[in-house]
Short mmCIF file of all heavy atoms in Angstrom, two decimals:
data_model
loop_
_atom_site.label_atom_id
_atom_site.label_comp_id
_atom_site.label_asym_id
_atom_site.label_seq_id
_atom_site.Cartn_x
_atom_site.Cartn_y
_atom_site.Cartn_z
N ASP A 1 2.14 12.64 1.95
CA ASP A 1 0.68 12.76 1.86
C ASP A 1 0.09 11.47 1.31
O ASP A 1 -0.97 11.00 1.76
CB ASP A 1 0.30 13.93 0.95
CG ASP A 1 0.88 15.25 1.42
OD1 ASP A 1 0.63 15.63 2.58
OD2 ASP A 1 1.59 15.91 0.63
N VAL A 2 0.77 10.89 0.32
CA VAL A 2 0.31 9.63 -0.27
C VAL A 2 0.32 8.52 0.77
O VAL A 2 -0.65 7.77 0.92
CB VAL A 2 1.17 9.25 -1.49
CG1 VAL A 2 0.79 7.86 -2.00
CG2 VAL A 2 1.04 10.28 -2.59
N VAL A 3 1.43 8.40 1.51
CA VAL A 3 1.56 7.33 2.50
C VAL A 3 0.46 7.45 3.55
O VAL A 3 -0.19 6.45 3.91
CB VAL A 3 2.95 7.38 3.16
CG1 VAL A 3 3.01 6.45 4.38
CG2 VAL A 3 4.03 7.00 2.15
N ALA A 4 0.20 8.66 4.03
CA ALA A 4 -0.84 8.85 5.04
C ALA A 4 -2.22 8.53 4.47
O ALA A 4 -3.06 7.92 5.15
CB ALA A 4 -0.81 10.29 5.57
N SER A 5 -2.47 8.92 3.22
CA SER A 5 -3.76 8.65 2.59
C SER A 5 -3.98 7.16 2.38
O SER A 5 -5.07 6.63 2.62
CB SER A 5 -3.86 9.39 1.25
OG SER A 5 -3.80 10.79 1.42
N VAL A 6 -2.93 6.45 1.93
CA VAL A 6 -3.03 5.01 1.73
C VAL A 6 -3.25 4.30 3.06
O VAL A 6 -4.07 3.38 3.17
CB VAL A 6 -1.77 4.47 1.02
CG1 VAL A 6 -1.79 2.94 0.99
CG2 VAL A 6 -1.68 5.03 -0.40
N ASN A 7 -2.54 4.74 4.10
CA ASN A 7 -2.69 4.09 5.41
C ASN A 7 -4.11 4.24 5.94
O ASN A 7 -4.67 3.29 6.52
CB ASN A 7 -1.70 4.70 6.40
CG ASN A 7 -0.29 4.13 6.24
OD1 ASN A 7 -0.13 2.98 5.84
ND2 ASN A 7 0.71 4.93 6.54
N ARG A 8 -4.73 5.39 5.75
CA ARG A 8 -6.11 5.58 6.20
C ARG A 8 -7.06 4.70 5.41
O ARG A 8 -7.95 4.05 5.96
CB ARG A 8 -6.50 7.05 6.07
CG ARG A 8 -7.91 7.36 6.57
CD ARG A 8 -8.17 8.86 6.63
NE ARG A 8 -9.43 9.15 7.28
CZ ARG A 8 -10.57 9.41 6.66
NH1 ARG A 8 -10.61 9.42 5.33
NH2 ARG A 8 -11.68 9.67 7.33
N TRP A 9 -6.88 4.66 4.10
CA TRP A 9 -7.76 3.88 3.22
C TRP A 9 -7.64 2.38 3.48
O TRP A 9 -8.65 1.66 3.47
CB TRP A 9 -7.40 4.21 1.77
CG TRP A 9 -7.89 3.26 0.74
CD1 TRP A 9 -9.14 3.22 0.19
CD2 TRP A 9 -7.15 2.22 0.10
NE1 TRP A 9 -9.22 2.21 -0.74
CE2 TRP A 9 -8.01 1.59 -0.82
CE3 TRP A 9 -5.83 1.76 0.21
CZ2 TRP A 9 -7.59 0.51 -1.62
CZ3 TRP A 9 -5.42 0.70 -0.58
CH2 TRP A 9 -6.30 0.09 -1.48
N MET A 10 -6.44 1.89 3.76
CA MET A 10 -6.23 0.45 3.94
C MET A 10 -7.05 -0.11 5.09
O MET A 10 -7.44 -1.28 5.06
CB MET A 10 -4.74 0.14 4.17
CG MET A 10 -3.90 0.14 2.90
SD MET A 10 -2.26 -0.61 3.12
CE MET A 10 -1.54 0.42 4.38
N VAL A 11 -7.31 0.68 6.08
CA VAL A 11 -8.06 0.21 7.25
C VAL A 11 -9.50 -0.13 6.88
O VAL A 11 -10.07 -1.09 7.40
CB VAL A 11 -8.03 1.27 8.37
CG1 VAL A 11 -8.91 0.85 9.54
CG2 VAL A 11 -6.61 1.52 8.83
N ARG A 12 -10.08 0.62 5.92
CA ARG A 12 -11.50 0.49 5.64
C ARG A 12 -11.82 -0.37 4.41
O ARG A 12 -12.91 -0.92 4.30
CB ARG A 12 -12.12 1.89 5.41
CG ARG A 12 -12.12 2.79 6.61
CD ARG A 12 -12.96 2.25 7.76
NE ARG A 12 -14.35 2.04 7.40
CZ ARG A 12 -15.32 2.95 7.57
NH1 ARG A 12 -15.03 4.12 8.09
NH2 ARG A 12 -16.56 2.67 7.24
N ASP A 13 -10.88 -0.46 3.48
CA ASP A 13 -11.17 -1.10 2.20
C ASP A 13 -10.77 -2.58 2.19
O ASP A 13 -9.74 -2.96 2.76
CB ASP A 13 -10.43 -0.38 1.07
CG ASP A 13 -10.78 -0.93 -0.29
OD1 ASP A 13 -11.90 -0.68 -0.76
OD2 ASP A 13 -9.94 -1.63 -0.87
N THR A 14 -11.58 -3.40 1.51
CA THR A 14 -11.29 -4.84 1.46
C THR A 14 -9.95 -5.12 0.81
O THR A 14 -9.12 -5.88 1.35
CB THR A 14 -12.40 -5.57 0.68
OG1 THR A 14 -13.66 -5.33 1.33
CG2 THR A 14 -12.14 -7.06 0.64
N MET A 15 -9.70 -4.52 -0.35
CA MET A 15 -8.40 -4.73 -1.00
C MET A 15 -7.29 -4.09 -0.19
O MET A 15 -6.17 -4.62 -0.11
CB MET A 15 -8.42 -4.16 -2.42
CG MET A 15 -9.26 -4.96 -3.39
SD MET A 15 -8.99 -4.48 -5.12
CE MET A 15 -7.43 -5.27 -5.46
N GLY A 16 -7.58 -2.96 0.44
CA GLY A 16 -6.59 -2.32 1.29
C GLY A 16 -6.17 -3.21 2.44
O GLY A 16 -4.99 -3.30 2.81
N GLN A 17 -7.15 -3.91 3.02
CA GLN A 17 -6.84 -4.83 4.12
C GLN A 17 -5.97 -5.99 3.65
O GLN A 17 -5.10 -6.47 4.39
CB GLN A 17 -8.14 -5.33 4.74
CG GLN A 17 -8.92 -4.25 5.47
CD GLN A 17 -10.36 -4.62 5.73
OE1 GLN A 17 -10.78 -5.75 5.49
NE2 GLN A 17 -11.14 -3.67 6.22
N MET A 18 -6.20 -6.44 2.41
CA MET A 18 -5.36 -7.51 1.86
C MET A 18 -3.93 -7.02 1.68
O MET A 18 -2.96 -7.75 1.96
CB MET A 18 -5.94 -7.99 0.53
CG MET A 18 -7.30 -8.65 0.65
SD MET A 18 -7.93 -9.24 -0.93
CE MET A 18 -6.83 -10.63 -1.21
N ILE A 19 -3.78 -5.78 1.22
CA ILE A 19 -2.44 -5.21 1.07
C ILE A 19 -1.78 -5.07 2.43
O ILE A 19 -0.60 -5.43 2.62
CB ILE A 19 -2.52 -3.84 0.35
CG1 ILE A 19 -3.04 -4.00 -1.07
CG2 ILE A 19 -1.15 -3.16 0.34
CD1 ILE A 19 -3.42 -2.69 -1.73
N LYS A 20 -2.54 -4.55 3.39
CA LYS A 20 -2.00 -4.33 4.73
C LYS A 20 -1.52 -5.64 5.36
O LYS A 20 -0.49 -5.67 6.05
CB LYS A 20 -3.07 -3.68 5.61
CG LYS A 20 -2.59 -3.18 6.96
CD LYS A 20 -3.71 -2.47 7.70
CE LYS A 20 -3.26 -1.96 9.05
NZ LYS A 20 -2.25 -0.90 8.94
N ALA A 21 -2.22 -6.73 5.09
CA ALA A 21 -1.83 -8.03 5.64
C ALA A 21 -0.52 -8.54 5.05
O ALA A 21 0.15 -9.38 5.66
CB ALA A 21 -2.94 -9.05 5.40
N ARG A 22 -0.15 -8.04 3.87
CA ARG A 22 1.09 -8.48 3.20
C ARG A 22 2.20 -7.44 3.32
O ARG A 22 3.27 -7.63 2.75
CB ARG A 22 0.81 -8.72 1.72
CG ARG A 22 -0.31 -9.68 1.42
CD ARG A 22 -0.78 -9.59 -0.02
NE ARG A 22 -2.01 -10.36 -0.19
CZ ARG A 22 -2.21 -11.28 -1.12
NH1 ARG A 22 -1.26 -11.53 -2.00
NH2 ARG A 22 -3.32 -11.94 -1.21
N LEU A 23 1.94 -6.35 4.02
CA LEU A 23 2.82 -5.18 3.96
C LEU A 23 3.96 -5.28 4.96
O LEU A 23 3.74 -5.40 6.16
CB LEU A 23 1.98 -3.92 4.23
CG LEU A 23 2.66 -2.57 3.99
CD1 LEU A 23 3.01 -2.40 2.52
CD2 LEU A 23 1.74 -1.44 4.46
N ASP A 24 5.20 -5.22 4.44
CA ASP A 24 6.37 -5.05 5.31
C ASP A 24 6.62 -3.57 5.56
O ASP A 24 6.97 -3.17 6.67
CB ASP A 24 7.61 -5.69 4.68
CG ASP A 24 7.65 -7.20 4.86
OD1 ASP A 24 6.93 -7.70 5.77
OD2 ASP A 24 8.35 -7.88 4.10
N ALA A 25 6.43 -2.75 4.51
CA ALA A 25 6.65 -1.32 4.68
C ALA A 25 5.99 -0.56 3.53
O ALA A 25 5.96 -1.03 2.38
CB ALA A 25 8.14 -0.99 4.73
N LEU A 26 5.46 0.61 3.85
CA LEU A 26 5.04 1.60 2.85
C LEU A 26 5.82 2.86 3.20
O LEU A 26 5.63 3.45 4.25
CB LEU A 26 3.53 1.85 2.92
CG LEU A 26 3.00 3.02 2.08
CD1 LEU A 26 3.35 2.85 0.61
CD2 LEU A 26 1.49 3.17 2.27
N GLU A 27 6.72 3.26 2.32
CA GLU A 27 7.68 4.29 2.69
C GLU A 27 7.76 5.40 1.65
O GLU A 27 7.59 5.15 0.44
CB GLU A 27 9.07 3.66 2.88
CG GLU A 27 9.51 2.83 1.70
CD GLU A 27 10.60 1.83 2.06
OE1 GLU A 27 10.95 1.73 3.25
OE2 GLU A 27 11.09 1.14 1.15
N ALA A 28 7.98 6.61 2.14
CA ALA A 28 8.26 7.76 1.27
C ALA A 28 9.76 7.80 1.02
O ALA A 28 10.54 8.09 1.93
CB ALA A 28 7.78 9.05 1.92
N VAL A 29 10.17 7.48 -0.20
CA VAL A 29 11.59 7.46 -0.54
C VAL A 29 12.13 8.88 -0.65
O VAL A 29 13.21 9.20 -0.14
CB VAL A 29 11.82 6.69 -1.85
CG1 VAL A 29 13.29 6.68 -2.24
CG2 VAL A 29 11.29 5.26 -1.72
N ASP A 30 11.39 9.74 -1.32
CA ASP A 30 11.65 11.17 -1.37
C ASP A 30 10.31 11.86 -1.60
O ASP A 30 9.26 11.21 -1.54
CB ASP A 30 12.69 11.53 -2.45
CG ASP A 30 12.28 11.07 -3.85
OD1 ASP A 30 11.09 11.19 -4.21
OD2 ASP A 30 13.16 10.58 -4.59
N ASP A 31 10.30 13.15 -1.87
CA ASP A 31 9.03 13.87 -1.96
C ASP A 31 8.15 13.42 -3.11
O ASP A 31 6.93 13.65 -3.09
CB ASP A 31 9.29 15.38 -2.08
CG ASP A 31 9.54 16.02 -0.73
OD1 ASP A 31 9.37 15.31 0.30
OD2 ASP A 31 9.92 17.20 -0.68
N ARG A 32 8.74 12.78 -4.13
CA ARG A 32 7.94 12.34 -5.27
C ARG A 32 7.93 10.82 -5.45
O ARG A 32 7.25 10.33 -6.35
CB ARG A 32 8.44 13.01 -6.56
CG ARG A 32 8.07 14.48 -6.69
CD ARG A 32 8.59 15.07 -7.99
NE ARG A 32 8.17 14.28 -9.15
CZ ARG A 32 8.84 14.27 -10.31
NH1 ARG A 32 9.96 14.97 -10.46
NH2 ARG A 32 8.39 13.55 -11.32
N THR A 33 8.63 10.09 -4.61
CA THR A 33 8.75 8.64 -4.78
C THR A 33 8.28 7.93 -3.52
O THR A 33 8.65 8.30 -2.41
CB THR A 33 10.21 8.24 -5.08
OG1 THR A 33 10.71 9.03 -6.16
CG2 THR A 33 10.30 6.77 -5.44
N PHE A 34 7.46 6.91 -3.70
CA PHE A 34 7.02 6.10 -2.57
C PHE A 34 7.04 4.63 -2.99
O PHE A 34 6.99 4.29 -4.17
CB PHE A 34 5.63 6.51 -2.06
CG PHE A 34 4.53 6.39 -3.06
CD1 PHE A 34 3.70 5.27 -3.11
CD2 PHE A 34 4.28 7.41 -3.99
CE1 PHE A 34 2.67 5.16 -4.04
CE2 PHE A 34 3.26 7.31 -4.92
CZ PHE A 34 2.46 6.19 -4.96
N ARG A 35 7.12 3.74 -2.00
CA ARG A 35 7.35 2.32 -2.30
C ARG A 35 6.55 1.43 -1.36
O ARG A 35 6.48 1.67 -0.15
CB ARG A 35 8.83 2.00 -2.19
CG ARG A 35 9.19 0.53 -2.46
CD ARG A 35 10.70 0.31 -2.40
NE ARG A 35 11.37 1.05 -3.45
CZ ARG A 35 12.43 1.86 -3.26
NH1 ARG A 35 12.93 2.02 -2.04
NH2 ARG A 35 12.98 2.48 -4.29
N PHE A 36 5.92 0.40 -1.94
CA PHE A 36 5.33 -0.70 -1.18
C PHE A 36 6.33 -1.84 -1.15
O PHE A 36 6.81 -2.27 -2.21
CB PHE A 36 4.05 -1.22 -1.86
CG PHE A 36 2.87 -0.30 -1.81
CD1 PHE A 36 2.73 0.73 -2.74
CD2 PHE A 36 1.87 -0.47 -0.86
CE1 PHE A 36 1.63 1.56 -2.73
CE2 PHE A 36 0.76 0.36 -0.84
CZ PHE A 36 0.63 1.39 -1.78
N ARG A 37 6.63 -2.36 0.03
CA ARG A 37 7.43 -3.58 0.16
C ARG A 37 6.54 -4.64 0.81
O ARG A 37 6.11 -4.48 1.96
CB ARG A 37 8.70 -3.34 0.97
CG ARG A 37 9.73 -2.50 0.23
CD ARG A 37 11.10 -2.51 0.89
NE ARG A 37 11.12 -1.80 2.15
CZ ARG A 37 11.23 -2.35 3.35
NH1 ARG A 37 11.30 -3.69 3.45
NH2 ARG A 37 11.26 -1.63 4.44
N LEU A 38 6.23 -5.70 0.04
CA LEU A 38 5.30 -6.72 0.48
C LEU A 38 6.03 -8.03 0.75
O LEU A 38 7.08 -8.31 0.17
CB LEU A 38 4.23 -6.95 -0.59
CG LEU A 38 3.49 -5.70 -1.11
CD1 LEU A 38 2.61 -6.05 -2.30
CD2 LEU A 38 2.67 -5.06 -0.01
N ASN A 39 5.45 -8.85 1.64
CA ASN A 39 6.05 -10.15 1.92
C ASN A 39 5.38 -11.27 1.13
O ASN A 39 5.71 -12.43 1.29
CB ASN A 39 6.02 -10.46 3.42
CG ASN A 39 4.62 -10.32 4.00
OD1 ASN A 39 3.66 -10.82 3.43
ND2 ASN A 39 4.52 -9.61 5.13
N LYS A 40 4.42 -10.91 0.30
CA LYS A 40 3.73 -11.87 -0.55
C LYS A 40 3.32 -11.16 -1.84
O LYS A 40 2.94 -10.00 -1.80
CB LYS A 40 2.49 -12.42 0.17
CG LYS A 40 1.76 -13.52 -0.56
CD LYS A 40 0.57 -14.03 0.26
CE LYS A 40 -0.19 -15.12 -0.50
NZ LYS A 40 -1.38 -15.59 0.28
N PRO A 41 3.40 -11.81 -2.98
CA PRO A 41 3.05 -11.12 -4.24
C PRO A 41 1.61 -10.59 -4.22
O PRO A 41 0.71 -11.22 -3.65
CB PRO A 41 3.21 -12.22 -5.29
CG PRO A 41 4.15 -13.21 -4.69
CD PRO A 41 3.86 -13.19 -3.21
N PHE A 42 1.42 -9.43 -4.84
CA PHE A 42 0.08 -8.86 -4.98
C PHE A 42 -0.01 -8.23 -6.37
O PHE A 42 0.12 -7.01 -6.53
CB PHE A 42 -0.21 -7.84 -3.88
CG PHE A 42 -1.68 -7.52 -3.76
CD1 PHE A 42 -2.56 -8.43 -3.21
CD2 PHE A 42 -2.18 -6.31 -4.18
CE1 PHE A 42 -3.91 -8.15 -3.08
CE2 PHE A 42 -3.53 -6.00 -4.06
CZ PHE A 42 -4.40 -6.93 -3.50
N PRO A 43 -0.25 -9.05 -7.40
CA PRO A 43 -0.23 -8.54 -8.77
C PRO A 43 -1.36 -7.58 -9.10
O PRO A 43 -1.29 -6.87 -10.10
CB PRO A 43 -0.31 -9.81 -9.62
CG PRO A 43 -0.88 -10.86 -8.72
CD PRO A 43 -0.40 -10.52 -7.35
N LYS A 44 -2.41 -7.53 -8.27
CA LYS A 44 -3.55 -6.66 -8.57
C LYS A 44 -3.46 -5.33 -7.84
O LYS A 44 -4.48 -4.64 -7.65
CB LYS A 44 -4.86 -7.38 -8.23
CG LYS A 44 -5.13 -8.59 -9.14
CD LYS A 44 -6.44 -9.27 -8.82
CE LYS A 44 -6.81 -10.31 -9.86
NZ LYS A 44 -5.95 -11.50 -9.83
N LEU A 45 -2.27 -4.91 -7.45
CA LEU A 45 -2.11 -3.66 -6.69
C LEU A 45 -2.62 -2.44 -7.46
O LEU A 45 -3.27 -1.56 -6.88
CB LEU A 45 -0.64 -3.46 -6.30
CG LEU A 45 -0.35 -2.20 -5.48
CD1 LEU A 45 -1.05 -2.26 -4.12
CD2 LEU A 45 1.15 -1.99 -5.28
N LEU A 46 -2.34 -2.34 -8.75
CA LEU A 46 -2.77 -1.17 -9.52
C LEU A 46 -4.29 -1.05 -9.53
O LEU A 46 -4.84 0.05 -9.47
CB LEU A 46 -2.25 -1.24 -10.96
CG LEU A 46 -0.73 -1.17 -11.14
CD1 LEU A 46 -0.41 -1.15 -12.63
CD2 LEU A 46 -0.15 0.05 -10.45
N PHE A 47 -4.95 -2.19 -9.60
CA PHE A 47 -6.42 -2.17 -9.57
C PHE A 47 -6.90 -1.64 -8.22
O PHE A 47 -7.87 -0.89 -8.14
CB PHE A 47 -6.98 -3.56 -9.83
CG PHE A 47 -8.41 -3.55 -10.28
CD1 PHE A 47 -8.75 -3.60 -11.62
CD2 PHE A 47 -9.44 -3.47 -9.35
CE1 PHE A 47 -10.07 -3.57 -12.03
CE2 PHE A 47 -10.76 -3.45 -9.75
CZ PHE A 47 -11.07 -3.50 -11.09
#
């Protein structure tokens, strides 16, 4: 649910688009764990 929600948001949001441009993968590791794998540092992800 998180991965799908983030994917929808990234299309519309300015910061989301910046993340999407650096994104190698956004994956659900298990039902409670998910991971962003980026090809460029993005220290402001939490913001």
Side-chain angles (χ1 to χ4, degrees):
D1 302 304
V2 173
V3 169
S5 297
V6 172
N7 280 330
R8 182 171 188 262
W9 163 82
M10 282 194 300
V11 175
R12 295 297 301 268
D13 184 73
T14 301
M15 289 192 77
Q17 292 163 7
M18 295 181 71
I19 296 168
K20 190 176 180 66
R22 305 165 190 231
L23 189 64
D24 281 341
L26 171 57
E27 52 200 5
V29 179
D30 57 41
D31 278 352
R32 286 180 53 204
T33 308
F34 61 96
R35 179 177 296 130
F36 290 83
R37 289 193 290 109
L38 308 172
N39 53 47
K40 185 178 179 182
F42 196 72
K44 293 182 171 70
L45 181 64
L46 295 184
F47 200 96

